[in-house]
Amino acid sequence: MNQDLMQRGKAIKLAVFDVDGVLTDGRLYFLEDGSEFKTFNTLDGQGIKMLMASGVTTAIISGRKTPVVERRAKNLGIPHLFQGREDKLVVLDGLLAELNLSYEQVAYLGDDLPDLPVIRRVGLGMAVHNAAPFVRQHAHGVTQARGGEGAAREFCELIMQAQDTLDAANANYL
């Protein structure tokens, strides 16, 4: 495991996720009635639950707004949800003030240009494997998995491994 990522992961108190292309495969599905649906990976959901159980707070900041994401966040118990916000760094500034945290204590997983200001500013800014090349180039690290296919799980496990809580999280299921 990359030592720089491990070092950065030790300080993380807040993990923030983009949705489209990170928690989903990035495709948008629109039905004839105008509604939309998304598919989420259960491995990612379990990873987020394990990360929260290890003591790391979680948040979603998404440029799009949809009831499906609200339902998913509620189902996973993600306490901080911000939708319809392209100004992700401004949103994060407010959340950090509310939680009394610094940028160095934040990990962020994204995939495209609206995520880049946050990825470049936080303590651990990562991109999914299939992120835009410019975003991958400026991230601290890139997941092996693609968005919507276990990338969030990998990100969560990296943080838990850095904080030496992954074995305990897995042991809860033995």
Side-chain angles (χ1 to χ4, degrees):
M1 187 64 66
N2 181 308
Q3 282 307 110
D4 179 55
L5 296 181
M6 288 287 109
Q7 192 62 38
R8 290 174 178 278
K10 287 180 182 179
I12 302 306
K13 302 287 183 209
L14 171 66
V16 183
F17 302 86
D18 177 38
V19 176
D20 296 317
V22 173
L23 296 180
T24 75
D25 64 9
R27 292 185 280 184
L28 302 175
Y29 300 91
F30 295 97
L31 302 176
E32 283 186 33
D33 66 4
S35 62
E36 63 180 279
F37 69 92
K38 300 175 185 296
T39 58
F40 297 93
N41 188 303
T42 58
L43 291 174
D44 290 339
Q46 184 62 40
I48 291 169
K49 287 180 179 180
M50 290 166 55
L51 186 63
M52 289 187 299
S54 79
V56 175
T57 301
T58 57
I60 288 174
I61 304 175
S62 178
R64 295 180 47 78
K65 183 172 175 64
T66 173
V68 175
V69 172
E70 187 174 340
R71 193 172 318 128
R72 182 64 171 159
K74 185 176 182 179
N75 177 263
L76 293 176
I78 295 173
H80 305 282
L81 173 62
F82 304 91
Q83 293 196 82
R85 300 293 300 267
E86 291 286 336
D87 56 343
K88 296 180 179 194
L89 202 52
V90 172
V91 173
L92 185 57
D93 282 340
L95 184 57
L96 291 181
E98 177 186 327
L99 299 175
N100 196 28
L101 294 174
S102 67
Y103 279 109
E104 292 73 29
Q105 295 173 298
V106 178
Y108 186 90
L109 184 62
D111 73 315
D112 211 346
L113 294 175
D115 303 310
L116 193 54
V118 178
I119 287 172
R120 293 186 57 169
R121 183 70 176 90
V122 299
L124 176 60
M126 292 191 62
V128 297
H129 183 78
N130 56 319
F134 192 71
V135 175
R136 288 195 317 263
Q137 177 184 339
H138 288 280
H140 296 122
V142 178
T143 63
Q144 293 293 314
R146 298 170 57 86
E149 298 177 7
R153 175 66 168 265
E154 184 180 330
F155 174 74
C156 292
E157 288 187 353
L158 183 150
I159 295 166
M160 288 184 286
Q161 186 175 358
Q163 297 182 1
D164 205 25
T165 58
L166 182 58
D167 288 342
N170 287 327
N172 289 333
Y173 297 93
L174 294 177

